[in-house]
Amino acid sequence: MGRVHLGKGIGHMELGEKILRPREQVEQALKKAILSSKLGTGERLPSEAELARQFGVSRPTIREALSSLQMQGLIRRVPGAGGGSFVQPVDHQSLGEVVRASMQNLVRLGSVSFEEVSLARQHLEVPCAGLAAENRSAEDLEELRQVVREQKTRSVDDPLIAELDMRFHTIIARMSGNRVLASLVHALHHESEPVRYLDLSPEVGRHTVAQHQRIVQAIEAQDRQAAEAAISEHLAYLREHIRAALADQPAGGNGRPAPAGV
């Protein structure tokens, strides 16, 4: 990577410019460099020591700024030799990753409940299914059918069941044609994934696959109302089973039910 000079020294201010703390000034300068493509996707930022020299601040100040940028999904930090801070892609997929990581922390800390995440997911996935019915293509339908065929061949304790369920729901979200919706569904799905919270019984597994089939049929028929009703019924069914399973489990270390299953 060629030499990238980002800082002009913290004391360099124009008249009338809002006075910011050193960490905020560093963060804003780096963010501007990323969003203007001065630093390109995948590019490695200068070292902490070099950034501290360029900006005329301490290394702890640089670390704080980098941590903030990482939380915003603008960079990723790789530890060890050959590591460093790298510019993340700024697109709808990176939005989903940022939301997913934040939601994971909120759920595990007990700041939000599983029920809240699950209901939010339903409010997003129902319109996604309706839009998918309107916008679906032959390729989209075949991809969904392939997932359902694969689900039928696997037992409920197969480790791939979680991945197949994720694929089914994210394909539908993608078919909606709305990339923001698709990103948010992907982000919320992981924290409300049924097989992470209970040992699925064969009966629940059979019902789930049958519900998936009805969703696919409604999307194939381009019946928006039927698609929305089918996925709403499916998510409500799963939520009831998860709620019952969580109520029967002992409390975890944070006072919430401890997840079971995979």
Side-chain angles (χ1 to χ4, degrees), residues 29-260:
L30 291 172
K31 182 187 290 188
K32 182 177 180 180
I34 292 169
L35 297 180
S36 67
S37 298
K38 184 175 182 180
L39 286 168
T41 297
E43 189 169 349
R44 182 176 176 177
L45 273 65
S47 68
E48 289 183 3
E50 174 59 18
L51 287 173
R53 186 196 66 76
Q54 289 188 23
F55 284 101
V57 298
S58 66
R59 289 183 66 173
T61 295
I62 295 296
R63 286 192 207 102
E64 288 179 13
L66 294 177
S67 293
S68 179
L69 293 172
Q70 184 179 29
M71 289 179 64
Q72 296 172 57
L74 294 174
I75 65 170
R76 62 185 173 89
R77 302 173 77 183
V78 179
S85 297
F86 298 84
V87 178
Q88 285 275 62
V90 182
D91 56 18
H92 64 286
Q93 292 178 331
S94 60
L95 165 66
E97 286 304 311
V98 172
V99 176
R100 184 197 63 76
S102 298
M103 191 60 61
Q104 183 179 73
N105 291 334
L106 289 172
V107 171
R108 292 184 179 179
L109 290 171
S111 300
V112 298
S113 68
F114 168 83
E115 181 72 9
E116 289 174 296
V117 177
S118 183
L119 280 172
R121 178 183 160 194
Q122 178 157 354
H123 285 301
L124 292 173
E125 287 207 52
V126 170
C128 275
L131 289 168
E134 294 181 347
N135 300 325
R136 61 68 168 172
S137 67
E139 291 78 12
D140 293 329
L141 284 170
E142 181 53 34
E143 195 173 359
L144 277 180
R145 292 192 194 102
Q146 180 57 42
V147 171
V148 175
R149 285 195 292 266
E150 187 73 15
Q151 288 177 315
K152 287 181 178 179
T153 67
R154 299 187 179 275
S155 61
V156 292
D157 58 352
D158 191 308
L160 282 177
I161 286 294
E163 180 184 336
L164 289 169
D165 190 67
M166 169 75 82
R167 283 175 55 195
F168 182 83
H169 288 274
T170 53
I171 289 168
I172 292 174
R174 188 193 72 216
M175 290 165 65
S176 73
N178 187 309
R179 290 174 294 180
V180 175
L181 274 176
S183 296
L184 295 175
V185 167
H186 170 77
L188 294 176
H189 188 282
H190 183 268
E191 287 308 311
S192 59
E193 169 54 49
V195 296
R196 294 181 62 248
Y197 287 89
L198 71 162
D199 294 315
L200 291 174
S201 68
E203 181 185 9
V204 172
R206 285 192 296 271
H207 280 301
T208 297
V209 173
Q211 290 163 4
H212 280 187
Q213 288 178 300
R214 287 196 289 274
I215 294 166
V216 174
Q217 289 166 358
I219 291 174
E220 181 178 13
Q222 293 190 295
D223 188 333
R224 177 168 186 156
Q225 289 186 333
E228 291 180 348
I231 201 164
S232 180
E233 177 188 355
H234 170 58
L235 294 173
Y237 172 82
L238 290 177
R239 193 167 64 250
E240 285 303 314
H241 279 273
I242 297 166
R243 185 186 294 118
L246 290 175
D248 291 339
Q249 291 173 7
N254 56 6
R256 294 183 296 114

